[in-house]
């Protein structure tokens, strides 16, 4: 009986270790894909191509800002609470929330690097 339990315990340990290795591999693959996507966007985005309308309390805005910075993507940003012209543009667009990312003047609600790449024509193979 004890050997049966030990064998079952070993099987669960093996399954757990296999799952951990698969998860780590998947995470590394996703990071490589994000890196390649960031490189394509950075290469395609000229200064002025990306402008983010943000809010100081917007968590997605913070994520987008970090992503752009990490991948060295040229972008500009304004905050609706601090800049009257920014607030007016936000209201003119009638956006339901932030961020609004203007990709070559075309508004995109939310943050989606694949959609940004598509709008910039930066959808090549990678990662």
């Amino acid at each position: 009986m004890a050997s049966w339990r030990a064998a079952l315990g070993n099987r669960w340990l093996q399954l757990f270790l296999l799952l951990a290795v698969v998860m780590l591999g998947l995470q590394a693959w996703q990071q490589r894909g994000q890196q390649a996507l960031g490189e394509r966007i950075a290469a395609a985005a000229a200064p002025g191509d990306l402008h983010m309308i943000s809010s100081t309390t917007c968590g997605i805005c913070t994520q987008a800002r970090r992503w752009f910075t990490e991948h060295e993507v040229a972008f500009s940003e304004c905050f609706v609470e601090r800049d009257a012209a920014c607030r007016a543009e936000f209201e003119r667009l009638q956006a339901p929330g932030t961020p609004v990312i203007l990709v070559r003047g075309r508004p995109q609600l939310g943050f989606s690097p694949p959609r940004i790449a598509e709008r910039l024509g930066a959808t090549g193979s990678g990662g």
Side-chain angles (χ1 to χ4, degrees), residues 39-120:
E39 289 170 4
R40 289 196 311 273
I41 291 173
D49 281 351
L50 298 175
H51 179 69
M52 183 165 63
I53 299 173
S54 299
S55 170
T56 57
T57 59
C58 169
I60 301 299
C61 300
T62 300
Q63 288 178 340
R65 184 179 317 108
R66 284 182 186 151
W67 195 92
F68 287 144
T69 302
E70 176 183 333
H71 296 286
E72 299 179 3
V73 173
F75 77 104
S76 60
E77 180 177 23
C78 67
F79 293 88
V80 296
E81 299 91 346
R82 300 178 186 163
D83 182 339
C86 183
R87 181 66 171 186
E89 178 70 1
F90 177 73
E91 290 173 356
R92 183 188 70 76
L93 293 170
Q94 298 180 347
T98 56
V100 177
I101 300 174
L102 300 173
V103 182
R104 294 185 176 147
R106 293 177 54 202
Q108 171 183 303
L109 182 61
F111 177 63
S112 170
R115 284 190 333 199
I116 292 170
E118 184 178 327
R119 290 231 175 131
L120 290 173

Side-chain angles (χ1 to χ4, degrees), residues 12 16 18 23 48 68 108 117 119:
W12 279 110
F16 174 77
L18 177 63
M23 295 297 289
F68 287 144
Q108 171 183 303
R119 290 231 175 131

